[in-house]
Amino acid sequence: MNTLDFDQGNTIIRTKDLSVAYGEKTAVSKISMEIERNTVTAFIGPSGCGKSTFLRSLNRMNDLIPSCRVTGSIEIDGIEINDSNVNIEGLRQLVGMVFQRANPFFKSIYENIALAPRYHGIRSKAELDEIVEQSLRKAALWDEVKDRLKESALALSGGQQQRLCIARAIAMQPSILLLDEPASALDPISTMKVEELISELKDEYTIVIVTHNLHQAARISDKTAFFLMGELIEMNETSILFTSPAQKQTEDYITGKFG
Amino acid sequence: MNRQGSDGMTMIEKNVGRQQHRLARDKSYLQSKLLKPNKKQSLENFFGKAIAMSCAALLLIAVISIIYFIASKGLSTFFVNQVSIVDFLTGLKWDPEGEPALFGAFSFILGSFLVTVLAALVAAPLGIGAAIFMNEIYPTFGKKFVKPVIELLVGIPSVVYGYVGLTVLVPFIRERFEVLGFSLLAGGLVLALMILPTITSVATDAIEAVPQDMRNAARALGATRWQTIWHVVLHGALPGCLTAIVLGMARAFGEALAVQMVIGNTSKLPESIFDPISTLTSAITLNMGNTIQGTAYNNALWSLALLLLLMSLFFIMILRILGRKKLDNR
């Protein structure tokens, strides 16, 4: 369904006929999509439309579900990531992910962020300190927590915890950030902070965000993809998709006729 | 859109009529409900409360009288028979029928501690490892086969463990290491097997309680399965795993029969783990039948029981502290 002509050199994620099935049930069927570098792409659609499943296949988190089968091709920077010789840990470092519910570890704020860099081989204390500070600054959380880095991350508020999770993903120095409804469990003010953050992070990362909130998609994304029943119905510039959608189903959804 | 009903009234008229009727009825109905006591219910209430309270009271009385009984008997060694507490706790010689009678219980205390620690050292890694296997590595097989099999171990009577230890373990140690066979090692191993299911099931619960979100978060950060288990799952389950170990140790500390069958029961201090030894429990069960109520010997055995009781209270205290820590973590 993708009719857009992207600049080939600027494409970072390209899927072709990507299908995902849980056992017998097909969750995503034959989706072909291209996502450009340093843009924010929003996935919208009703619950169970396959947008989260599609997102999770981009860093192979679906591998963790035993009944899940992925077919078709996903290329990141021209490399097929479903090949068996791909280093999955390396892939997930390159493609960071933030979940719907903030899920900090039962550790201090510092340890939450330093964990991933340690996994990826950074040992020196000074370097880790630097990464922790930079990540927290980028996640706009540094000023709020700089005096209590050793305290438990669970003492933070929900919005702070979610920004901590974003900081934790940033600490891996990824190229792509996948956000799976990152603000759906947050209050309006925290949501606004997270949205501001996403707009700022766009300069350095390619961001793909799944959201149930159409206004959020309209506010922060450059491109929007509309999913329905496991299929990609339409993908276009956000301004075009929300004002003059090409498909009837898209129009019905964004005008609130269903979903 | 007033649909006509069968009796010629509209739906609205009917509804208004119904509501008015209900309001009138509600007033007297509410008054009767609110102001009239329900005798049957209050009687039930009273009896329910009385039964529950007497159950609790009975338990409390039982516990307090046990403590009082053991303490009065156990302490009379020191206050009636004038045995010095320091000698009792640190004395190396146990000869209650000698002249003069000697009540040095240090080797029993040491024996109890050594077998308990040995059992925990063996059983803790095995139990927690099995718990990890069942939850993280191979849950389908683990939960279906390994868990029931390990839980089966709980139901085996301790005399059977002792008997297996006596016929398998003791001869094995005797031949393999050319020693007596009845030893600290045999006692520790038998106890380890006995407390393994306790540790495994409590550790399994602790590991299960770590939210799936944590595992996903770690994997999404590029952690391998092992890194996830080690840094995130076990870290989160740590208070629970410690609880499991302490619970196992408390059980090992109080076990009498199985240990007594394989440990050799001498009051000499052991030089290695291949030497025989006694524990507080084995000393009590072996000698209790041979003493006369009220004698210093009998009282000294009660003192050993008092020590056991104090140790159990200590273990329970640790469990309480760990339990509170677990709550803090959430």
Side-chain angles (χ1 to χ4, degrees):
Chain A
M1 295 308 267
N2 181 11
T3 52
L4 286 170
D5 191 18
F6 286 124
D7 174 3
Q8 294 297 307
N10 213 15
T11 300
I12 186 162
I13 303 173
R14 176 184 289 122
T15 72
K16 196 156 185 299
D17 291 338
L18 182 73
S19 298
V20 185
Y22 298 114
E24 296 297 302
K25 191 178 164 295
T26 304
V28 165
S29 64
K30 295 205 176 248
I31 289 186
S32 301
M33 182 189 286
E34 294 186 356
I35 292 172
E36 279 178 275
R37 222 174 280 276
N38 294 5
T39 57
V40 177
T41 305
F43 292 175
I44 59 170
S47 297
C49 66
K51 55 195 191 307
S52 281
T53 303
F54 182 81
L55 191 79
R56 287 166 60 90
S57 57
L58 297 180
N59 67 346
R60 289 185 64 175
M61 282 299 280
N62 282 331
D63 289 17
L64 302 182
I65 301 165
S67 66
C68 184
R69 232 176 39 258
V70 180
T71 51
S73 125
I74 308 169
E75 283 180 14
I76 290 180
D77 262 345
I79 293 166
E80 173 57 52
I81 61 160
N82 278 329
D83 277 354
S84 55
N85 61 356
V86 165
N87 171 358
I88 297 180
E89 281 73 41
L91 168 72
R92 293 188 185 136
Q93 183 191 0
L94 204 72
V95 187
M97 187 165 204
V98 175
F99 296 85
Q100 178 175 7
R101 272 196 310 181
N103 49 4
F105 302 125
F106 298 148
K107 292 172 187 271
S108 69
I109 295 170
Y110 183 97
E111 281 303 314
N112 259 281
I113 298 183
L115 200 66
R118 281 212 197 98
Y119 287 154
H120 302 295
I122 294 170
R123 291 265 170 262
S124 108
K125 175 90 172 66
E127 216 173 325
L128 284 174
D129 286 351
E130 175 74 18
I131 289 175
V132 170
E133 181 174 344
Q134 285 306 318
S135 312
L136 284 172
R137 277 189 194 285
K138 280 186 197 163
L141 194 60
W142 174 252
D143 290 330
E144 291 163 56
V145 302
K146 65 183 172 199
D147 299 322
R148 45 177 181 149
L149 292 176
K150 297 284 173 226
E151 279 174 38
S152 167
L154 277 87
L156 296 174
S157 74
Q160 288 173 326
Q161 285 188 9
Q162 192 59 295
R163 277 179 286 147
L164 180 72
C165 291
I166 295 176
R168 190 170 68 179
I170 292 173
M172 300 188 295
Q173 289 149 352
S175 313
I176 300 168
L177 274 180
L178 308 177
L179 310 175
D180 191 356
E181 299 184 39
S184 68
L186 301 183
D187 62 87
I189 291 175
S190 302
T191 303
M192 198 180 75
K193 282 188 179 162
V194 169
E195 286 181 10
E196 277 170 10
L197 178 61
I198 291 169
S199 311
E200 279 163 32
L201 293 174
K202 185 169 89 170
D203 298 336
E204 282 180 73
Y205 310 98
T206 306
I207 294 174
V208 185
I209 176 171
V210 167
T211 178
H212 265 298
N213 184 337
L214 296 179
H215 296 291
Q216 185 173 63
R219 280 193 296 266
I220 59 175
S221 69
D222 301 306
K223 288 214 167 61
T224 300
F226 173 59
F227 287 69
L228 189 63
M229 313 271 276
E231 284 177 35
L232 176 62
I233 303 299
E234 184 173 357
M235 180 171 181
N236 211 332
E237 304 280 346
T238 301
S239 53
I240 299 174
L241 187 123
F242 275 99
T243 50
S244 47
Q247 303 291 325
K248 178 79 171 64
Q249 290 144 309
T250 315
E251 191 182 335
D252 286 350
Y253 185 69
I254 61 177
T255 53
K257 289 218 176 100
F258 74 97
Chain B
M1 258 214 261
N2 291 348
R3 271 179 290 157
Q4 293 289 133
S6 54
D7 51 0
M9 285 200 290
T10 64
M11 288 286 283
I12 289 177
E13 279 163 356
K14 255 190 186 171
N15 199 13
V16 168
R18 234 182 357 239
Q19 282 183 6
Q20 276 168 346
H21 175 73
R22 195 187 301 143
L23 273 177
R25 192 194 70 121
D26 274 0
K27 211 168 170 200
S28 60
Y29 180 69
L30 276 178
Q31 270 175 353
S32 78
K33 271 281 167 197
L34 287 173
L35 300 176
K36 214 175 78 191
N38 183 332
K39 286 225 178 72
K40 187 170 169 285
Q41 279 184 333
S42 43
L43 209 65
E44 274 177 5
N45 240 352
F46 173 76
F47 275 114
K49 222 190 265 175
I51 292 171
M53 261 168 81
S54 47
C55 290
L58 203 68
L59 271 178
L60 266 179
I61 291 170
V63 170
I64 290 171
S65 34
I66 287 175
I67 293 176
Y68 173 75
F69 182 64
I70 296 179
S72 70
K73 288 263 189 185
L75 289 176
S76 57
T77 316
F78 310 115
F79 297 117
V80 177
N81 305 106
Q82 304 294 334
V83 177
S84 129
I85 295 186
V86 179
D87 283 353
F88 183 79
L89 292 177
T90 60
L92 298 178
K93 198 121 181 71
W94 177 261
D95 187 9
E97 287 166 321
E99 272 305 326
L102 292 169
F103 298 98
F106 180 73
S107 71
F108 302 146
I109 299 170
L110 183 74
S112 274
F113 274 100
L114 286 181
V115 285
T116 302
V117 169
L118 187 63
L121 281 180
V122 175
L126 284 177
I128 293 172
I132 290 174
F133 175 83
M134 286 191 290
N135 275 305
E136 307 290 322
I137 313 269
Y138 204 164
T140 46
F141 174 76
K143 293 215 169 106
K144 227 176 185 169
F145 295 101
V146 183
K147 201 172 181 196
V149 168
I150 289 179
E151 277 166 359
L152 202 70
L153 290 176
V154 184
I156 299 177
S158 62
V159 65
V160 175
Y161 281 104
Y163 200 46
V164 171
L166 191 66
T167 47
V168 180
L169 208 55
V170 170
F172 174 79
I173 294 172
R174 182 185 303 142
E175 279 152 34
R176 182 73 185 73
F177 300 103
E178 296 178 345
V179 288
L180 184 61
F182 293 97
S183 57
L184 182 53
L185 180 66
L189 289 179
V190 166
L191 277 181
L193 199 60
M194 286 186 69
I195 65 174
L196 189 63
T198 311
I199 293 185
T200 309
S201 59
V202 178
T204 303
D205 292 344
I207 287 173
E208 253 176 0
V210 175
Q212 194 59 38
D213 284 0
M214 301 279 133
R215 297 179 180 85
N216 284 341
R219 296 307 287 272
L221 288 173
T224 60
R225 182 151 79 169
W226 179 245
Q227 285 171 326
T228 305
I229 291 172
W230 191 248
H231 294 289
V232 176
V233 177
L234 271 188
H235 183 273
L238 191 64
C241 289
L242 288 178
T243 304
I245 296 170
V246 176
L247 214 58
M249 286 174 80
R251 202 180 159 211
F253 201 82
E255 171 56 33
L257 197 56
V259 183
Q260 178 204 319
M261 288 168 82
V262 299
I263 202 160
N265 303 304
T266 62
S267 60
K268 257 183 26 196
L269 282 184
E271 280 161 13
S272 74
I273 56 168
F274 302 113
D275 285 345
I277 193 172
S278 280
T279 64
L280 291 167
T281 48
S282 71
I284 295 172
T285 50
L286 276 180
N287 297 315
M288 205 47 127
N290 310 328
T291 62
I292 301 157
Q293 287 264 333
T295 59
Y297 192 176
N298 187 272
N299 284 342
L301 292 180
W302 282 110
S303 304
L304 296 182
L306 181 62
L307 263 180
L308 273 173
L309 184 73
L310 291 178
M311 271 312 293
S312 324
L313 292 181
F314 176 69
F315 279 125
I316 288 167
M317 207 176 71
I318 297 180
L319 287 174
R320 287 250 153 186
I321 293 170
L322 283 172
R324 210 171 305 143
K325 212 172 158 194
K326 206 157 47 174
L327 288 180
D328 289 347
N329 244 340
R330 294 287 176 271

